[in-house]
Amino acid sequence: MVNYRRDYTQGALYFFTLTLQNRSSTDLTSHINILGDALRHVRKKSYFTTHAIVVLPDHLPVIWELRCNDADYSVRWR
């Protein structure tokens, strides 16, 4: 099992890469409208700024910036 180290610097820029379990899947691009709706919904509920996002068939790299008093990126991905 991987031993993750997590950084909880408030107001930081964070780079994430999310990968589908099935790397041969195209679910992210096949359902891009649902993905976009979900991200907009989360952004309204828990503010963050998206500096970059690339939607690829099997993975999703993003750069997010949280508010200066916030470091809880986990709640946004949940």
Coordinates of all heavy atoms in Angstrom, one line a residue:
M1 N 0.8 -1.2 0.0 CA 0.0 0.0 0.0 C 0.9 1.2 0.0 O 1.9 1.3 0.6 CB -0.9 0.0 1.2 CG -1.7 1.2 1.3 SD -3.0 1.1 2.6 CE -4.4 1.1 1.6
V2 N 0.4 2.3 -0.7 CA 1.2 3.5 -0.8 C 1.0 4.3 0.5 O 0.0 4.4 1.1 CB 0.7 4.4 -2.0 CG1 1.4 5.7 -2.0 CG2 0.8 3.6 -3.3
N3 N 2.1 4.9 1.0 CA 2.1 5.7 2.2 C 2.0 7.2 1.7 O 3.0 7.8 1.4 CB 3.3 5.5 3.0 CG 3.3 6.3 4.3 OD1 2.2 6.8 4.7 ND2 4.4 6.4 5.0
Y4 N 0.8 7.8 1.7 CA 0.6 9.1 1.3 C 1.0 10.1 2.3 O 0.8 10.0 3.5 CB -0.9 9.4 0.9 CG -1.3 8.6 -0.3 CD1 -2.1 7.5 -0.1 CD2 -1.0 9.0 -1.6 CE1 -2.6 6.8 -1.2 CE2 -1.4 8.3 -2.7 CZ -2.2 7.2 -2.5 OH -2.6 6.5 -3.6
R5 N 1.7 11.2 1.9 CA 1.9 12.4 2.7 C 1.0 13.5 2.2 O 1.0 13.8 1.0 CB 3.4 12.8 2.6 CG 4.3 11.8 3.3 CD 5.7 12.2 3.2 NE 6.1 11.9 1.8 CZ 7.1 12.4 1.1 NH1 7.8 13.3 1.7 NH2 7.3 12.0 -0.1
R6 N 0.3 14.1 3.1 CA -0.7 15.1 2.6 C -0.3 16.5 3.2 O 0.1 16.6 4.3 CB -2.1 14.7 3.1 CG -2.5 13.4 2.5 CD -4.0 13.2 2.8 NE -4.4 11.8 2.5 CZ -4.7 11.4 1.3 NH1 -4.7 12.2 0.3 NH2 -5.1 10.1 1.2
D7 N -0.4 17.5 2.4 CA -0.1 18.8 2.7 C -1.4 19.6 3.0 O -2.3 19.6 2.1 CB 0.7 19.5 1.6 CG 1.0 21.0 2.0 OD1 1.0 21.3 3.1 OD2 1.3 21.7 1.0
Y8 N -1.5 20.2 4.1 CA -2.7 21.0 4.5 C -2.4 22.4 4.7 O -2.8 23.0 5.7 CB -3.4 20.4 5.7 CG -4.0 19.0 5.4 CD1 -3.4 17.9 5.9 CD2 -5.2 18.9 4.7 CE1 -3.9 16.6 5.6 CE2 -5.7 17.6 4.4 CZ -5.1 16.5 4.9 OH -5.6 15.3 4.6
T9 N -1.7 23.0 3.8 CA -1.4 24.5 3.8 C -2.6 25.3 3.4 O -3.2 25.1 2.3 CB -0.2 24.8 2.9 OG1 0.9 24.0 3.2 CG2 0.2 26.3 3.0
Q10 N -3.0 26.1 4.3 CA -4.3 26.9 4.0 C -4.0 27.9 2.9 O -3.0 28.5 2.8 CB -4.7 27.7 5.2 CG -5.1 26.7 6.4 CD -5.6 27.5 7.6 OE1 -5.5 28.7 7.7 NE2 -6.2 26.8 8.5
G11 N -5.0 28.0 2.0 CA -4.9 28.9 0.8 C -4.0 28.5 -0.2 O -3.6 29.4 -1.1
A12 N -3.5 27.3 -0.3 CA -2.5 26.9 -1.2 C -3.0 26.5 -2.6 O -4.2 26.3 -2.7 CB -1.7 25.7 -0.6
L13 N -2.1 26.4 -3.5 CA -2.5 25.8 -4.8 C -2.2 24.3 -4.7 O -1.1 23.9 -4.2 CB -1.6 26.4 -5.9 CG -1.9 27.8 -6.4 CD1 -0.9 28.3 -7.3 CD2 -3.3 27.8 -7.1
Y14 N -3.1 23.5 -5.1 CA -2.9 22.0 -5.1 C -3.1 21.4 -6.4 O -4.0 21.8 -7.2 CB -4.0 21.4 -4.2 CG -3.8 21.7 -2.7 CD1 -4.6 22.8 -2.1 CD2 -2.9 21.0 -1.9 CE1 -4.4 23.0 -0.7 CE2 -2.7 21.3 -0.6 CZ -3.5 22.3 0.0 OH -3.3 22.6 1.3
F15 N -2.2 20.5 -6.8 CA -2.2 19.8 -8.0 C -2.7 18.3 -7.7 O -2.1 17.7 -6.8 CB -0.9 19.7 -8.7 CG -0.8 18.8 -9.9 CD1 -1.3 19.3 -11.1 CD2 -0.4 17.5 -9.8 CE1 -1.3 18.5 -12.2 CE2 -0.4 16.7 -10.9 CZ -0.9 17.2 -12.1
F16 N -3.7 17.9 -8.3 CA -4.3 16.6 -8.1 C -4.3 15.8 -9.5 O -4.6 16.5 -10.5 CB -5.7 16.6 -7.6 CG -5.9 17.3 -6.3 CD1 -6.3 18.6 -6.2 CD2 -5.6 16.6 -5.1 CE1 -6.5 19.2 -5.0 CE2 -5.7 17.2 -3.9 CZ -6.2 18.5 -3.8
T17 N -4.1 14.6 -9.5 CA -4.5 13.7 -10.6 C -5.3 12.6 -10.1 O -4.9 11.8 -9.3 CB -3.2 13.1 -11.3 OG1 -2.4 14.2 -11.7 CG2 -3.6 12.3 -12.5
L18 N -6.5 12.5 -10.6 CA -7.5 11.5 -10.3 C -7.5 10.5 -11.4 O -7.5 10.9 -12.6 CB -8.9 12.0 -10.0 CG -9.1 12.5 -8.6 CD1 -8.3 13.8 -8.4 CD2 -10.5 12.7 -8.3
T19 N -7.4 9.2 -11.1 CA -7.4 8.2 -12.1 C -8.5 7.2 -11.9 O -8.8 6.8 -10.8 CB -6.0 7.4 -12.0 OG1 -5.0 8.4 -12.1 CG2 -5.9 6.4 -13.2
L20 N -9.1 6.8 -13.0 CA -10.2 5.8 -12.9 C -9.5 4.4 -12.6 O -8.4 4.1 -13.1 CB -10.9 5.7 -14.2 CG -11.7 6.9 -14.6 CD1 -12.5 6.6 -15.9 CD2 -12.7 7.3 -13.5
Q21 N -10.2 3.6 -11.9 CA -9.7 2.3 -11.5 C -9.5 1.5 -12.8 O -8.5 0.8 -13.0 CB -10.6 1.5 -10.6 CG -10.1 0.2 -10.2 CD -11.0 -0.4 -9.1 OE1 -12.1 0.1 -8.8 NE2 -10.6 -1.5 -8.6
N22 N -10.4 1.6 -13.7 CA -10.3 0.9 -15.0 C -9.6 1.9 -16.0 O -10.3 2.8 -16.6 CB -11.7 0.5 -15.5 CG -11.7 -0.2 -16.9 OD1 -10.6 -0.3 -17.5 ND2 -12.8 -0.5 -17.4
R23 N -8.4 1.7 -16.2 CA -7.6 2.6 -17.1 C -8.0 2.6 -18.6 O -7.6 3.4 -19.3 CB -6.1 2.4 -16.9 CG -5.5 2.7 -15.6 CD -5.7 4.2 -15.2 NE -5.1 5.1 -16.0 CZ -4.0 5.8 -15.8 NH1 -3.3 5.6 -14.7 NH2 -3.5 6.6 -16.7
S24 N -8.7 1.6 -19.0 CA -9.2 1.5 -20.4 C -10.6 2.1 -20.5 O -11.1 2.2 -21.6 CB -9.2 0.0 -20.8 OG -10.1 -0.7 -20.1
S25 N -11.1 2.7 -19.5 CA -12.4 3.3 -19.5 C -12.4 4.7 -20.1 O -11.3 5.3 -20.1 CB -13.0 3.4 -18.1 OG -14.2 4.1 -18.1
T26 N -13.5 5.1 -20.7 CA -13.6 6.5 -21.3 C -14.7 7.2 -20.5 O -15.3 8.2 -21.1 CB -13.8 6.5 -22.8 OG1 -15.1 5.8 -23.0 CG2 -12.7 5.8 -23.5
D27 N -15.0 6.8 -19.3 CA -16.1 7.4 -18.6 C -16.0 8.9 -18.4 O -17.0 9.6 -18.5 CB -16.3 6.8 -17.2 CG -16.9 5.4 -17.3 OD1 -17.5 5.1 -18.4 OD2 -16.9 4.6 -16.4
L28 N -14.8 9.5 -18.2 CA -14.7 10.9 -17.9 C -15.1 11.7 -19.1 O -15.8 12.7 -19.0 CB -13.3 11.3 -17.5 CG -12.9 10.7 -16.1 CD1 -11.5 11.1 -15.8 CD2 -13.8 11.3 -15.0
T29 N -14.7 11.3 -20.3 CA -15.0 12.1 -21.5 C -16.4 11.7 -22.0 O -17.1 12.5 -22.6 CB -14.0 11.8 -22.6 OG1 -13.8 10.4 -22.8 CG2 -12.7 12.5 -22.3
S30 N -16.8 10.5 -21.8 CA -18.2 10.0 -22.2 C -19.3 10.8 -21.4 O -20.4 11.0 -21.9 CB -18.3 8.5 -22.0 OG -17.5 7.9 -22.9
H31 N -19.0 11.1 -20.1 CA -19.9 11.8 -19.3 C -19.4 13.1 -18.8 O -19.6 13.5 -17.6 CB -20.2 10.8 -18.0 CG -20.7 9.5 -18.4 ND1 -21.9 9.2 -18.9 CD2 -20.0 8.3 -18.4 CE1 -22.1 8.0 -19.2 NE2 -20.9 7.4 -18.9
I32 N -18.8 13.9 -19.7 CA -18.2 15.1 -19.4 C -19.2 16.2 -18.8 O -18.9 17.0 -18.0 CB -17.4 15.7 -20.5 CG1 -16.5 16.8 -20.0 CG2 -18.3 16.1 -21.7 CD1 -15.4 17.1 -21.0
N33 N -20.5 16.1 -19.3 CA -21.5 17.1 -18.8 C -21.8 16.8 -17.4 O -22.0 17.8 -16.6 CB -22.8 17.0 -19.7 CG -22.5 17.5 -21.1 OD1 -21.7 18.3 -21.3 ND2 -23.3 17.0 -22.0
I34 N -21.9 15.6 -17.0 CA -22.2 15.2 -15.6 C -21.0 15.6 -14.7 O -21.2 16.2 -13.6 CB -22.5 13.7 -15.5 CG1 -23.8 13.3 -16.2 CG2 -22.6 13.3 -14.0 CD1 -24.0 11.9 -16.4
L35 N -19.8 15.4 -15.2 CA -18.6 15.8 -14.5 C -18.6 17.3 -14.3 O -18.4 17.8 -13.2 CB -17.4 15.3 -15.2 CG -16.0 15.8 -14.6 CD1 -15.8 15.2 -13.2 CD2 -14.9 15.4 -15.6
G36 N -18.9 18.1 -15.3 CA -18.9 19.5 -15.2 C -20.0 20.0 -14.2 O -19.7 20.9 -13.4
D37 N -21.2 19.4 -14.3 CA -22.2 19.8 -13.4 C -21.8 19.5 -11.9 O -22.1 20.3 -11.0 CB -23.5 19.0 -13.7 CG -24.2 19.4 -15.0 OD1 -23.8 20.5 -15.5 OD2 -25.0 18.7 -15.5
A38 N -21.2 18.4 -11.7 CA -20.7 18.0 -10.3 C -19.7 19.0 -9.8 O -19.8 19.4 -8.7 CB -20.2 16.6 -10.3
L39 N -18.7 19.3 -10.6 CA -17.7 20.3 -10.2 C -18.3 21.7 -9.9 O -17.9 22.3 -9.0 CB -16.6 20.4 -11.3 CG -15.7 19.1 -11.3 CD1 -14.8 19.2 -12.6 CD2 -14.9 19.0 -10.1
R40 N -19.2 22.1 -10.8 CA -19.9 23.4 -10.5 C -20.7 23.4 -9.2 O -20.7 24.3 -8.4 CB -20.7 23.8 -11.7 CG -19.9 24.4 -12.9 CD -20.8 24.9 -14.0 NE -21.5 23.8 -14.7 CZ -20.9 23.1 -15.7 NH1 -19.7 23.4 -16.0 NH2 -21.6 22.2 -16.3
H41 N -21.3 22.3 -9.0 CA -22.1 22.1 -7.7 C -21.2 22.2 -6.5 O -21.5 22.9 -5.5 CB -22.9 20.8 -7.8 CG -23.6 20.5 -6.5 ND1 -24.8 21.1 -6.2 CD2 -23.4 19.7 -5.5 CE1 -25.3 20.7 -5.0 NE2 -24.4 19.8 -4.6
V42 N -20.1 21.5 -6.5 CA -19.2 21.5 -5.4 C -18.6 22.9 -5.2 O -18.4 23.3 -4.1 CB -18.1 20.4 -5.6 CG1 -17.0 20.5 -4.5 CG2 -18.7 19.0 -5.6
R43 N -18.2 23.5 -6.3 CA -17.6 24.9 -6.2 C -18.6 25.9 -5.6 O -18.2 26.7 -4.8 CB -17.2 25.3 -7.6 CG -16.3 26.6 -7.5 CD -15.7 27.0 -8.8 NE -16.7 27.0 -9.9 CZ -16.5 26.7 -11.1 NH1 -15.4 26.2 -11.5 NH2 -17.5 26.8 -12.0
K44 N -19.9 25.8 -5.9 CA -20.9 26.6 -5.2 C -21.0 26.4 -3.7 O -21.1 27.3 -2.9 CB -22.3 26.4 -5.8 CG -22.5 27.2 -7.1 CD -23.9 26.9 -7.5 CE -24.2 27.5 -8.9 NZ -25.6 27.2 -9.4
K45 N -20.9 25.1 -3.4 CA -21.1 24.7 -2.0 C -19.8 24.9 -1.1 O -19.9 25.4 0.0 CB -21.4 23.2 -2.0 CG -22.3 22.7 -0.9 CD -22.7 21.3 -1.1 CE -22.5 20.5 0.1 NZ -22.8 19.1 0.0
S46 N -18.7 24.7 -1.7 CA -17.4 24.8 -1.0 C -16.4 25.5 -1.9 O -15.8 24.9 -2.8 CB -16.8 23.4 -0.7 OG -17.7 22.6 0.1
Y47 N -16.3 26.8 -1.8 CA -15.6 27.6 -2.7 C -14.1 27.1 -2.9 O -13.4 26.7 -2.0 CB -15.5 29.0 -2.2 CG -14.8 30.0 -3.1 CD1 -15.4 30.5 -4.2 CD2 -13.4 30.3 -2.9 CE1 -14.7 31.3 -5.1 CE2 -12.7 31.1 -3.7 CZ -13.4 31.6 -4.8 OH -12.7 32.4 -5.7
F48 N -13.7 27.2 -4.2 CA -12.3 27.0 -4.6 C -12.2 27.6 -6.0 O -13.2 27.8 -6.7 CB -11.9 25.5 -4.6 CG -12.7 24.6 -5.5 CD1 -12.3 24.4 -6.8 CD2 -13.8 24.0 -5.0 CE1 -13.0 23.6 -7.6 CE2 -14.6 23.2 -5.8 CZ -14.2 23.0 -7.1
T49 N -11.0 27.9 -6.4 CA -10.7 28.4 -7.8 C -10.0 27.3 -8.6 O -9.0 26.7 -8.1 CB -9.8 29.6 -7.7 OG1 -10.4 30.6 -7.0 CG2 -9.5 30.1 -9.1
T50 N -10.5 27.0 -9.8 CA -9.9 26.1 -10.7 C -8.9 26.8 -11.6 O -9.4 27.7 -12.4 CB -10.9 25.3 -11.5 OG1 -11.8 24.6 -10.6 CG2 -10.2 24.3 -12.4
H51 N -7.6 26.6 -11.5 CA -6.7 27.3 -12.3 C -6.4 26.5 -13.6 O -6.1 27.1 -14.7 CB -5.3 27.5 -11.6 CG -5.4 28.6 -10.6 ND1 -5.3 29.9 -10.9 CD2 -5.6 28.5 -9.3 CE1 -5.4 30.6 -9.8 NE2 -5.6 29.8 -8.8
A52 N -6.6 25.2 -13.6 CA -6.4 24.4 -14.8 C -7.1 23.0 -14.5 O -7.2 22.5 -13.4 CB -4.9 24.1 -15.0
I53 N -7.6 22.5 -15.6 CA -8.2 21.2 -15.6 C -8.1 20.6 -17.0 O -8.3 21.3 -18.0 CB -9.7 21.2 -15.1 CG1 -10.3 19.9 -15.0 CG2 -10.6 22.1 -16.1 CD1 -11.6 19.8 -14.3
V54 N -7.8 19.3 -17.1 CA -7.8 18.6 -18.3 C -8.6 17.3 -18.1 O -8.3 16.5 -17.3 CB -6.3 18.3 -18.7 CG1 -6.3 17.5 -20.1 CG2 -5.5 19.5 -18.8
V55 N -9.6 17.2 -19.0 CA -10.4 16.0 -18.9 C -9.9 15.0 -19.9 O -10.1 15.2 -21.1 CB -11.9 16.3 -19.0 CG1 -12.7 15.0 -18.9 CG2 -12.3 17.3 -18.0
L56 N -9.3 13.9 -19.5 CA -8.9 12.8 -20.4 C -9.8 11.6 -20.1 O -10.5 11.6 -19.1 CB -7.4 12.5 -20.1 CG -6.5 13.7 -20.3 CD1 -5.1 13.5 -19.7 CD2 -6.3 14.0 -21.8
P57 N -9.8 10.7 -21.1 CA -10.7 9.6 -20.9 C -10.6 8.8 -19.6 O -11.6 8.4 -19.1 CB -10.3 8.6 -22.1 CG -9.7 9.6 -23.1 CD -9.0 10.6 -22.3
D58 N -9.4 8.7 -19.0 CA -9.2 7.8 -17.9 C -8.6 8.5 -16.7 O -8.5 7.9 -15.6 CB -8.4 6.6 -18.2 CG -7.0 7.0 -18.5 OD1 -6.7 8.1 -18.9 OD2 -6.1 6.1 -18.4
H59 N -8.3 9.8 -16.8 CA -7.7 10.5 -15.6 C -8.0 12.0 -15.8 O -8.3 12.5 -16.9 CB -6.3 10.2 -15.3 CG -5.3 10.7 -16.4 ND1 -5.1 10.0 -17.6 CD2 -4.4 11.7 -16.4 CE1 -4.2 10.6 -18.3 NE2 -3.8 11.7 -17.5
L60 N -7.9 12.7 -14.6 CA -8.3 14.1 -14.5 C -7.2 14.9 -13.7 O -7.3 14.8 -12.5 CB -9.6 14.1 -13.8 CG -10.3 15.5 -13.6 CD1 -10.8 16.1 -14.9 CD2 -11.4 15.3 -12.6
P61 N -6.3 15.6 -14.4 CA -5.4 16.4 -13.6 C -6.0 17.8 -13.4 O -6.6 18.4 -14.3 CB -4.2 16.5 -14.5 CG -4.6 16.1 -15.9 CD -5.9 15.4 -15.7
V62 N -5.9 18.4 -12.2 CA -6.5 19.7 -11.9 C -5.5 20.5 -11.0 O -4.7 19.9 -10.3 CB -7.9 19.6 -11.2 CG1 -8.9 18.9 -12.1 CG2 -7.8 19.0 -9.9
I63 N -5.6 21.8 -11.1 CA -4.9 22.7 -10.1 C -6.0 23.5 -9.5 O -6.7 24.3 -10.2 CB -3.9 23.6 -10.8 CG1 -2.8 22.7 -11.5 CG2 -3.3 24.5 -9.8 CD1 -1.8 23.5 -12.3
W64 N -6.1 23.4 -8.2 CA -7.1 24.1 -7.4 C -6.4 25.1 -6.4 O -5.3 24.8 -5.9 CB -8.0 23.2 -6.6 CG -9.1 22.5 -7.3 CD1 -9.5 22.7 -8.6 CD2 -9.9 21.5 -6.7 NE1 -10.5 21.9 -8.8 CE2 -10.8 21.1 -7.7 CE3 -9.9 20.9 -5.5 CZ2 -11.8 20.1 -7.5 CZ3 -10.9 19.9 -5.3 CH2 -11.8 19.5 -6.3
E65 N -7.1 26.2 -6.1 CA -6.6 27.1 -5.1 C -7.8 27.3 -4.1 O -8.9 27.5 -4.5 CB -6.3 28.5 -5.7 CG -5.7 29.4 -4.6 CD -5.3 30.8 -5.2 OE1 -5.5 31.0 -6.5 OE2 -4.8 31.6 -4.5
L66 N -7.4 27.1 -2.8 CA -8.4 27.2 -1.8 C -8.3 28.6 -1.1 O -7.3 29.3 -1.3 CB -8.2 26.1 -0.7 CG -8.3 24.7 -1.2 CD1 -8.1 23.7 -0.1 CD2 -9.5 24.4 -2.0
R67 N -9.3 28.9 -0.4 CA -9.3 30.2 0.3 C -8.2 30.3 1.3 O -7.7 29.2 1.8 CB -10.7 30.5 1.0 CG -11.8 30.7 0.1 CD -13.0 31.1 0.8 NE -14.1 31.5 -0.1 CZ -15.3 31.7 0.2 NH1 -15.7 31.6 1.5 NH2 -16.2 32.1 -0.7
C68 N -7.8 31.5 1.7 CA -6.7 31.7 2.6 C -6.8 31.0 4.0 O -5.8 30.7 4.6 CB -6.3 33.1 2.8 SG -7.6 34.1 3.6
N69 N -8.0 30.7 4.4 CA -8.2 30.1 5.7 C -8.7 28.6 5.6 O -9.2 28.1 6.5 CB -9.1 30.9 6.6 CG -10.5 31.0 6.0 OD1 -10.7 30.7 4.8 ND2 -11.5 31.4 6.7
D70 N -8.5 28.0 4.4 CA -9.0 26.7 4.1 C -8.0 25.8 3.5 O -7.2 26.2 2.7 CB -10.2 26.9 3.1 CG -11.0 25.6 2.9 OD1 -10.7 24.6 3.5 OD2 -11.9 25.7 2.1
A71 N -8.0 24.6 4.0 CA -7.0 23.5 3.5 C -7.8 22.2 3.3 O -7.1 21.2 3.1 CB -5.9 23.4 4.4
D72 N -9.1 22.2 3.4 CA -9.8 20.9 3.3 C -10.2 20.6 1.9 O -11.4 20.6 1.5 CB -11.0 21.1 4.3 CG -11.7 19.7 4.5 OD1 -11.1 18.7 4.1 OD2 -12.7 19.7 5.2
Y73 N -9.3 20.2 1.1 CA -9.6 19.8 -0.2 C -10.3 18.4 -0.3 O -11.0 18.1 -1.2 CB -8.3 19.7 -1.1 CG -7.1 19.0 -0.5 CD1 -7.1 17.6 -0.5 CD2 -6.1 19.7 0.1 CE1 -6.0 16.9 0.1 CE2 -5.0 19.0 0.7 CZ -5.0 17.6 0.6 OH -4.0 16.9 1.2
S74 N -10.1 17.6 0.8 CA -10.7 16.3 0.8 C -12.2 16.3 0.7 O -12.9 15.5 0.0 CB -10.3 15.5 2.1 OG -8.9 15.4 2.1
V75 N -12.8 17.3 1.4 CA -14.3 17.4 1.4 C -14.8 17.8 0.0 O -15.9 17.3 -0.4 CB -14.8 18.5 2.4 CG1 -14.5 19.9 2.0 CG2 -16.3 18.3 2.7
R76 N -14.0 18.5 -0.8 CA -14.4 18.8 -2.2 C -14.4 17.6 -3.1 O -15.3 17.4 -3.9 CB -13.5 19.9 -2.7 CG -13.8 21.2 -2.1 CD -12.6 22.1 -2.1 NE -12.9 23.4 -1.5 CZ -12.8 23.7 -0.2 NH1 -12.4 22.8 0.6 NH2 -13.1 24.9 0.2
W77 N -13.4 16.7 -2.9 CA -13.3 15.5 -3.7 C -14.4 14.5 -3.3 O -14.9 13.7 -4.1 CB -12.0 14.9 -3.7 CG -11.0 15.6 -4.5 CD1 -9.9 16.3 -4.1 CD2 -11.1 15.9 -5.9 NE1 -9.2 16.9 -5.2 CE2 -10.0 16.6 -6.3 CE3 -12.0 15.5 -6.9 CZ2 -9.7 17.0 -7.6 CZ3 -11.7 15.9 -8.2 CH2 -10.6 16.7 -8.6
R78 N -14.7 14.5 -2.0 CA -15.7 13.6 -1.5 C -17.0 13.8 -2.2 O -17.8 13.0 -2.6 CB -15.8 13.7 0.0 CG -16.5 12.5 0.7 CD -16.5 12.6 2.2 NE -15.1 13.0 2.7 CZ -14.9 14.0 3.6 NH1 -16.0 14.6 4.1 NH2 -13.7 14.2 4.0

